[in-house]
Amino acid sequence: MTPLLTTRGLTKAYDGLRAVDGVDFSLATGEIRAIIGPNGAGKTTFVSLVCGRVPPTSGTIVFDGEDITHMPAHLRVRRGIAYTFQITSVFPNLSAYDNVALPAQRTLEDGRAKTHLHAAIMSALEHTGLADRANIQAGALSYGHQRLLEVAMGLALKPRLLILDEPTQGLSDSEIDGFMGLVRDIASSATVLLIEHNMDVVMELARRITVMNAGKILAEGMPEEIRADEAVQRAYLGTENHG
Amino acid sequence: MRSSALPPRILVLHAGVVALLFALNFVLPEYHHAVLARVMLLSVFAMGYNILFGYTGLLSLGHAMFFAAGLYGAGLSVYHLGWSIPAGLAAGIACGAALSTAIGLLALRTTGVAFMIVTMMFAQVFYLLTFYFAEWTGGDDGIVLSQEIRRFFVGDFYLNLTDPTTRYLLALAIFAIVLFATLIAVRSSFGRVLVAIRENEDRARMLGYDTFANKLAAVVLSGTICATAGAAYALLFGYAGSTFAGVQYSILPLLWVLLGGAATTLGPFIGTLFMYYVIDITSSYTSAYLLIVGIALILLVLFFPKGILGTIRARWAGWLP
Amino acid sequence: MAFGPHLLLATLEGLVTSAVLALMALGLSLVFGVMRVVNVAHGEFFMLGAVLAWWIASLVSGHPAIGFLAALAISPLIVGAVAFAADRLVLRRLNYEPEATIVATIGLLYIIQQLALTFYGPQARPVDAPFTYRILFPWFGYSGYKLSIIATSALLLIFTWFVLTRTRIGLVMRATQYDRETAQAFGIPVGRVYAGVFALGAMLAAIAAVLIVPITQAHYLMGLNPLLLSFIVVIIGGLGSLRGTVVAALLIGVSDGVISAFFSPTLAKIIATLAVAMVLVFRPQGLFGSAAK
């Protein structure tokens, strides 16, 4: 089966510093993949290259058989790549309803969805348990609910690849439990790429794990293989060089 | 907030304002009747400015050029080319649309402070051009459309733009059309995207929106509305001069919108009306009306950044569009 | 007059414009560089400097040089105090938020302009030059005072450069410019630095005005043109670059002098303004600046 997403030699350099350094990466359709690694390993830069927020220095990105390396971000979103931000960035002065309306109306305009706007919005809000808060201003929601709203916005985009950047950061244990259920649910219709620090969440959710360090892929495999990998342990203990 | 149908109270409010202005036509004394006709056209200018500043979050310091594009587009084509008044109106609006497209394509390559300065500079170029071509524009003195030109037939229908009541009702018609057009636009999915761009452009892009194209559409819509106000102003009052292209006419709509409430549909009208009378009343005591403008600007940004309607919306009436 | 001397005269006139423009643009550039504030009222500080210079000179009797020197010393101080107060009372309370500060400085522009009209009046009034010596070229005589403006401006620019790069004041300003929070953490009184920089910027405009007022006369609307020219200089020169500002001032001043000697001044302004807008659109870091921040 052809992979949904592949990158070849993907590199991003800032003033000579290679934040992402020649990454060859491949993701199969329907997978839940986690990317882990120490701070500054280049995880967020890597997914930013994939979703087009940052232009690459060199290398190629292929999504569903199409070279998207130089495609503007908004067109990638319309191809089905959705990104949820590491820092919650819902629109605070709009209601939760309007926040979800923005991605939902986009998919309707593209003809990717055929339902009514209102139905699509409520479905995404119900999916994330926010339906009863639809008319509250997003800025007035609790932090956990804002994170869920962020996911609802991702869902309303009808993504084929949903990139979640540290989605459980700042959530309580019970919120994390609910969240993992949600991700499994999403995975039935979309491929999920997850950056996560919480190893319990990673081991529970991911079918495969990619470990990044210093801009490169250090290891890749099933959760139990990664747990046993010595190089990975060294990287996390900080004895690996940080070039 | 649903984007589908207008909630009744919003419809009632806006229709009520239009109806009230219509009723005032029959009761206002001559002086205030004339003032209100002028204020309605100038608030169309402010409504156009509000689309870009209030809803899209782009602060232009050069909107006088769009108003003046309409003013001259209409005035010059009637004065020099002998076009009819309706054709002149259309020419003015078309000039505004063309100019705002060109300016948008250039100026939107910049953001923030650079956007403000670039728009100011383009407007300054426009202003200087009105002097460079003084042979055609009359420069500071401007051009005056004669009374004969402004009395004409549309089909069998006789219109006399020198008659105060005709002027008032035409100004009201344009005001009402633009008011409802902006109301519909800002409550549409397009309006929602503009607000999203104002709040967080990067996020809007990551929801699949071509933010450049949407901002360009906002500039063109805004510029065209301002040009409509300018064209109507030239034809109804029979005058087009370079004062209207000056930097002051770029600042005034900003002041009106700030005062009335940015990103509110009725704020521009309230701000324009209020400011017009403040200047009118103070000018009987002092000639220093710019002093009032200056102090008003500073007090507004310091203590009253949401403006009149913005504050009312935040405190009491969240449903106001 | 033949073309050569005509060009020399135009170039000299351009150099005088450049000298004044460099001082004024430097003030604008400092304020933007350190505080990130676009001061639209900068031209009014210039105007205020000129009007005050006339007022001070008119109070002093005796040789014109005494009145002029008194104006040169006192007028910038008063303008600096006005700017200091404006920063403390208005800009600081707006937290230097870009849009709000622009609107506020526009308000300031109108207030200063109108007060000048009310108290000074609509007339244009001259200040006597401190000396009237004329330098004789083979083709024409030229005002020695104008040449002294060029020299004075050059001295002031070198002095400013020295303060900015070689003194503790300059170090504090640069630290504040790079990172406001960190500067604060290191005990730099950021609030006072901002007020000081804003006052300093205004004073540079006032000095420029006092220098030029024996040639052009003081008038309450004289601020707009220099404001636009300073914007042009700062944009072309690249923000925060002292060298770029001086080079751009030379370029703009001399070309303005030469172009307006041979073409219509309106056309010259149109072309210059349009060219600068295009620079901002296509090369926002300026022609001489490095990468934009």
Side-chain angles (χ1 to χ4, degrees):
Chain A
M1 191 169 87
T2 52
L4 182 66
L5 173 80
T6 45
T7 72
R8 287 279 164 269
L10 196 61
T11 300
K12 178 67 192 178
Y14 294 103
D15 295 329
L17 178 80
R18 287 165 173 255
V20 170
D21 191 358
V23 168
D24 295 331
F25 178 84
S26 166
L27 183 63
T29 306
E31 231 187 296
I32 301 182
R33 174 74 67 91
I35 301 182
I36 63 170
N39 283 324
K43 306 182 296 284
T44 293
T45 309
F46 174 68
V47 295
S48 296
L49 290 167
V50 170
C51 68
R53 292 181 71 213
V54 178
T57 310
S58 62
T60 56
I61 309 165
V62 175
F63 179 72
D64 195 25
E66 185 183 12
D67 186 332
I68 60 162
T69 314
H70 302 292
M71 186 182 279
H74 68 269
L75 293 182
R76 301 189 199 196
V77 177
R78 293 185 203 177
R79 296 284 190 286
I81 300 179
Y83 175 77
T84 72
F85 282 61
Q86 182 175 10
I87 303 156
T88 303
S89 54
V90 296
F91 300 105
N93 290 322
L94 293 181
S95 66
Y97 183 92
D98 277 336
N99 267 277
V100 181
L102 280 159
Q105 77 190 31
R106 174 74 265 158
T107 59
L108 290 174
E109 279 163 37
D110 294 350
R112 276 185 284 138
K114 294 271 182 256
T115 46
H116 255 283
L117 182 59
H118 181 62
I121 295 165
M122 290 320 288
S123 141
L125 285 172
E126 272 155 20
H127 215 121
T128 46
L130 289 171
D132 54 336
R133 292 179 173 79
N135 288 319
I136 296 179
Q137 282 215 333
L141 292 172
S142 74
Y143 182 78
H145 285 137
Q146 288 190 25
R147 299 257 23 154
L148 285 173
L149 181 58
E150 186 87 46
V151 176
M153 291 162 79
L155 273 180
L157 277 175
K158 305 261 173 241
R160 298 164 65 198
L161 170 62
L162 180 62
I163 301 171
L164 299 163
D165 197 348
E166 304 213 9
T168 66
Q169 200 180 38
L171 294 189
S172 69
D173 285 346
S174 63
E175 283 172 329
I176 289 178
D177 282 342
F179 185 81
M180 287 199 286
L182 183 59
V183 172
R184 278 198 201 94
D185 205 21
I186 294 169
S188 62
S189 61
T191 308
V192 175
L193 183 57
L194 175 78
I195 294 180
E196 185 56 66
H197 272 302
N198 184 328
M199 287 312 286
D200 293 338
V201 174
V202 171
M203 292 300 167
E204 189 80 14
L205 279 179
R207 289 171 216 165
R208 284 180 76 80
I209 297 175
T210 300
V211 186
M212 284 186 76
N213 189 34
K216 292 185 168 138
I217 291 182
L218 185 68
E220 197 169 290
M222 313 293 276
E224 50 276 16
E225 294 166 15
I226 294 299
R227 209 195 293 265
D229 192 304
E230 265 184 53
V232 174
Q233 288 176 0
R234 272 206 307 280
Y236 267 90
L237 290 171
T239 46
E240 186 80 14
N241 68 330
H242 289 283
Chain B
M1 283 195 274
R2 308 284 145 80
S3 62
S4 43
L6 283 176
R9 57 182 170 185
I10 290 178
L11 199 61
V12 167
L13 176 70
H14 289 75
V17 168
V18 172
L20 177 68
L21 287 169
F22 182 72
L24 284 173
N25 172 51
F26 303 103
V27 295
L28 276 181
E30 195 180 331
Y31 176 73
H32 296 284
H33 187 265
V35 166
L36 205 54
R38 214 168 276 261
V39 164
M40 283 191 288
L41 279 191
L42 290 177
S43 58
V44 169
F45 182 20
M47 284 193 263
Y49 188 80
N50 191 29
I51 296 278
L52 198 62
F53 170 63
Y55 289 97
T56 322
L58 289 168
L59 199 162
S60 149
L61 291 177
H63 258 50
M65 67 180 144
F66 301 131
F67 185 79
L71 191 86
Y72 281 113
L76 294 179
S77 57
V78 170
Y79 188 82
H80 289 293
L81 305 176
W83 288 16
S84 71
I85 297 285
L89 182 67
I93 295 172
C95 284
L99 181 68
S100 52
T101 308
I103 296 293
L105 283 171
L106 290 168
L108 286 173
R109 294 172 58 101
T110 65
T111 54
V113 168
F115 181 81
M116 303 177 207
I117 297 178
V118 164
T119 48
M120 188 172 78
M121 289 191 146
F122 281 130
Q124 183 69 12
V125 169
F126 191 104
Y127 177 63
L128 292 170
L129 283 172
T130 65
F131 286 96
Y132 190 70
F133 293 106
E135 203 182 314
W136 299 90
T137 63
D140 254 340
D141 298 332
I143 50 169
V144 175
L145 305 178
S146 69
Q147 302 218 341
E148 299 84 73
I149 297 179
R150 290 158 62 217
R151 297 193 190 110
F152 61 101
F153 282 92
V154 179
D156 289 336
F157 196 67
Y158 176 69
L159 273 175
N160 177 5
L161 300 188
T162 57
D163 169 53
T165 302
T166 311
R167 237 172 11 205
Y168 185 97
L169 292 178
L170 282 177
L172 175 60
I174 292 172
F175 172 81
I177 291 169
V178 172
L179 178 67
F180 277 94
T182 42
L183 179 63
I184 291 165
V186 301
R187 293 183 55 84
S188 69
S189 51
F190 170 60
R192 191 184 276 136
V193 176
L194 295 188
V195 172
I197 289 173
R198 179 189 74 196
E199 300 272 314
N200 186 341
E201 186 171 346
D202 190 29
R203 187 70 178 103
R205 195 178 300 120
M206 292 317 295
L207 291 176
Y209 289 100
D210 184 343
T211 53
F212 184 88
N214 277 287
K215 287 195 290 185
L216 183 61
V219 171
V220 174
L221 179 62
S222 167
T224 307
I225 290 175
C226 294
T228 307
Y233 199 94
L235 299 174
L236 290 185
F237 298 102
Y239 171 75
S242 52
T243 324
F244 291 109
V247 66
Q248 206 167 304
Y249 273 83
S250 290
I251 305 300
L252 283 173
L254 169 66
L255 173 65
W256 296 329
V257 168
L258 272 176
L259 178 61
T264 61
T265 46
L266 286 166
F269 173 65
I270 292 174
T272 312
L273 184 69
F274 196 88
M275 207 59 218
Y276 201 98
Y277 272 104
V278 166
I279 289 172
D280 201 48
I281 292 164
T282 50
S283 63
S284 53
Y285 301 103
T286 162
S287 61
Y289 94 92
L290 280 181
L291 188 67
I292 309 296
V293 173
I295 292 173
L297 280 172
I298 290 183
L299 291 181
L300 275 173
V301 290
L302 268 182
F303 303 113
F304 212 39
K306 286 188 180 133
I308 297 170
L309 270 192
T311 307
I312 291 175
R313 174 164 64 188
R315 295 249 174 98
W316 300 288
W319 54 272
L320 278 176
Chain C
M1 211 172 352
F3 178 77
H6 201 157
L7 185 66
L8 174 65
L9 183 62
T11 310
L12 280 175
E13 291 289 304
L15 279 176
V16 175
T17 310
S18 304
V20 175
L21 201 51
L23 284 177
M24 187 164 167
L26 181 62
L28 197 66
S29 175
L30 272 181
V31 168
F32 186 82
V34 177
M35 306 165 70
R36 300 269 124 190
V37 164
V38 175
N39 180 16
V40 183
H42 199 61
E44 304 317 303
F45 289 143
F46 176 82
M47 180 272 288
L48 193 59
V51 166
L52 287 172
W54 172 84
W55 181 63
I56 294 165
S58 71
L59 294 178
V60 180
S61 54
H63 193 276
I66 303 172
F68 177 81
L69 289 175
L72 189 57
I74 300 170
S75 166
L77 285 180
I78 301 178
V79 173
V82 170
F84 191 89
D87 176 79
R88 300 261 87 176
L89 294 177
V90 180
L91 301 187
R92 188 172 60 105
R93 288 165 192 249
L94 295 173
N95 216 5
Y96 303 101
E97 199 270 309
E99 290 188 355
T101 42
I102 281 209
V103 175
T105 57
I106 291 170
L108 203 58
L109 178 158
Y110 284 141
I111 292 173
I112 298 176
Q113 200 176 83
Q114 200 67 54
L115 288 176
L117 176 63
T118 306
F119 292 104
Y120 172 82
Q123 308 87 341
R125 297 188 174 107
V127 171
D128 286 336
F131 55 90
T132 51
Y133 178 74
R134 283 182 82 76
I135 293 169
L136 289 176
F137 290 95
W139 317 276
F140 54 83
Y142 197 73
S143 157
Y145 175 70
K146 285 189 180 177
L147 292 178
S148 80
I149 292 181
I150 301 173
T152 313
S153 167
L155 282 177
L156 282 169
L157 289 171
I158 292 168
F159 177 72
T160 313
W161 171 82
F162 181 81
V163 169
L164 287 182
T165 54
R166 298 294 145 94
T167 66
R168 210 187 113 69
I169 300 174
L171 182 69
V172 165
M173 275 168 57
R174 272 178 289 138
T176 313
Q177 170 171 4
Y178 284 130
D179 189 342
R180 190 177 159 182
E181 273 80 36
T182 315
Q184 199 135 31
F186 276 98
I188 292 175
V190 170
R192 262 187 288 157
V193 172
Y194 273 25
V197 167
F198 199 67
L200 180 65
M203 286 167 76
L204 283 167
I207 293 172
V210 179
L211 289 177
I212 201 74
V213 79
I215 304 169
T216 59
Q217 305 192 331
H219 186 258
Y220 83 107
L221 288 177
M222 72 191 291
L224 181 63
N225 246 332
L227 173 71
L228 288 171
L229 282 177
S230 317
F231 269 135
I232 292 175
V233 165
V234 170
I235 289 163
I236 301 261
L239 285 161
S241 153
L242 181 61
R243 200 185 41 159
T245 303
V246 174
V247 174
L250 276 174
L251 189 75
I252 297 296
V254 172
S255 56
D256 189 60
V258 172
I259 293 173
S260 35
F262 295 100
F263 300 94
S264 118
T266 312
L267 186 62
K269 271 192 235 160
I270 291 174
I271 292 171
T273 314
L274 199 58
V276 169
M278 290 303 175
V279 168
L280 250 184
V281 167
F282 292 103
R283 211 185 134 77
Q285 69 273 37
L287 291 181
F288 303 101
S290 48
K293 227 182 164 181

